[in-house]
Amino acid sequence: MEELARESINLLASASSKPPLDVVAGPRLGSMGAIFIMLKSALGAGLLNFPWAFARAGGIRSAVTVELVSLVFLVSGLIILGYSSSISGQCTYQAVVKEVCGPAIGQLCEICFVFNLFMISVAFLVIADDQLEKLSGSLYELVTGLPESEMPYHFYTDQRFALTLLCILLILPMSIPKEISIQKYISVLGTLAATYLTIAIIIKYHTTPHVLIYATPLYTSGISSWASMFSVIPTICFGFQCHEASIAIYSSMENQRLSHWVFISVVSMIFCLIIYSLTGQTVLHFLLHLFTS
């Protein structure tokens, strides 16, 4: 115990002697910029799964309870990552893991990190491809007044061509800069897009007449409902996942006090909680009107 205590004291002493994480050149992040980038990193494909997660969990109350419990661990993880970045003096997730856990674990983290980013990129490109297809059909109907089924094929009407342009003209230029603070402007648009989707769902729910359909209830009670509630934890945690970018965000902030990082993490996760809960609750209410009336 004494030896462990000495090691902890030495680690804290070495951390206090290190300069702040200002090795990253360029503009620094303020509080709002950091929050928007955190929100942009968390809000995304997970939003589409929350109505299913709310139904699977056994209702709104159970789902929100799972969200709140999960947030305790998720926010704690963000705080630990920020603290690890401050004591290690590193600016990336992989470098922090290598510094804190050793070179072997650091290399394993790099492999897992690349694989994780690849799978996330594939998921988002599939969603973007689907939306571009819908956008192309809607524009054709708006311009010509003809149904989408009569749209002739041209290379420029193919969503794969539009997806390629999107990657070259938008995604690639945003990926080149090493300084993450440049993404604060586009992060505002991403957050507004997710907020718009939630507001649109709520308005659509309250303005659409409900059709009564008699069918089996969406969820049951008892032991099976408890199992279903725990089964949605991975889906809910995925919706709040922004830990890979958290260290880069923390190291780019002007104010790198740990208390300020706690504030940024809590505010970001609470806003995500509101967006996810409103979306999941509204869609679940609509489904309950359909299937349990």
Side-chain angles (χ1 to χ4, degrees), residues 231-275:
S231 69
V232 303
I233 292 178
T235 301
I236 290 178
C237 290
F238 173 76
F240 291 93
Q241 184 70 22
C242 58
H243 294 62
E244 297 91 344
S246 61
I247 292 179
I249 296 171
Y250 172 79
S251 60
S252 298
M253 290 170 52
E254 292 177 348
N255 186 354
Q256 295 181 1
R257 290 183 302 171
L258 191 60
S259 59
H260 184 66
W261 175 243
V262 172
F263 170 77
I264 297 295
S265 302
V266 171
V267 171
S268 302
M269 293 299 100
I270 288 178
F271 190 85
C272 288
L273 174 68
I274 295 173
I275 293 294

Side-chain angles (χ1 to χ4, degrees), residues 45-267:
L47 186 64
L48 305 177
N49 296 324
F50 265 75
W52 172 88
F54 269 54
R56 180 74 176 173
I60 298 168
R61 183 178 302 177
S62 301
V64 173
T65 301
V66 174
E67 282 186 292
L68 292 174
V69 174
S70 300
L71 275 186
V72 174
F73 297 97
L74 291 165
V75 173
S76 300
L78 290 172
I79 296 172
I80 291 172
L81 287 173
Y83 176 72
S84 300
S85 178
S86 65
I87 65 174
S88 64
Q90 302 299 322
C91 304
T92 64
Y93 189 93
Q94 309 92 302
V96 168
V97 173
K98 181 180 292 186
E99 180 74 16
V100 175
C101 302
I105 302 298
Q107 291 178 357
L108 177 62
C109 174
E110 291 177 355
I111 296 174
C112 295
F113 193 80
V114 171
F115 181 75
N116 179 57
L117 290 182
F118 174 76
M119 298 304 296
I120 291 175
S121 300
V122 170
F124 276 100
L125 287 178
V126 169
I127 295 174
D129 180 75
D130 180 69
Q131 297 305 309
L132 288 172
E133 181 180 5
K134 301 295 189 298
L135 178 62
S136 176
S138 299
L139 290 176
Y140 179 79
E141 293 179 354
L142 181 64
V143 173
T144 64
L146 300 175
E148 181 183 352
S149 58
E150 298 183 8
M151 182 175 63
Y153 176 80
H154 300 286
F155 76 93
Y156 51 83
T157 60
D158 192 335
Q159 69 271 15
R160 291 174 294 184
F161 175 74
L163 183 63
T164 303
L165 290 180
L166 179 67
C167 293
I168 295 175
L169 300 179
L170 182 62
I171 298 178
L172 180 60
M174 290 176 53
S175 304
I176 293 176
K178 294 184 178 181
E179 175 52 47
I180 199 172
S181 62
I182 197 174
Q183 297 189 16
K184 60 184 178 183
Y185 304 107
I186 198 69
S187 298
V188 175
L189 297 179
T191 304
L192 292 178
T195 306
Y196 165 79
L197 177 61
T198 300
I199 295 174
I201 289 174
I202 295 174
I203 294 176
K204 190 70 174 179
Y205 166 73
H206 288 287
T207 56
T208 301
H210 304 305
V211 180
L212 301 182
I213 300 177
Y214 295 90
T216 305
L218 289 178
Y219 50 83
T220 58
S221 59
I223 298 177
S224 60
S225 64
W226 279 97
S228 298
M229 185 175 68
F230 283 108
S231 69
V232 303
I233 292 178
T235 301
I236 290 178
C237 290
F238 173 76
F240 291 93
Q241 184 70 22
C242 58
H243 294 62
E244 297 91 344
S246 61
I247 292 179
I249 296 171
Y250 172 79
S251 60
S252 298
M253 290 170 52
E254 292 177 348
N255 186 354
Q256 295 181 1
R257 290 183 302 171
L258 191 60
S259 59
H260 184 66
W261 175 243
V262 172
F263 170 77
I264 297 295
S265 302
V266 171
V267 171

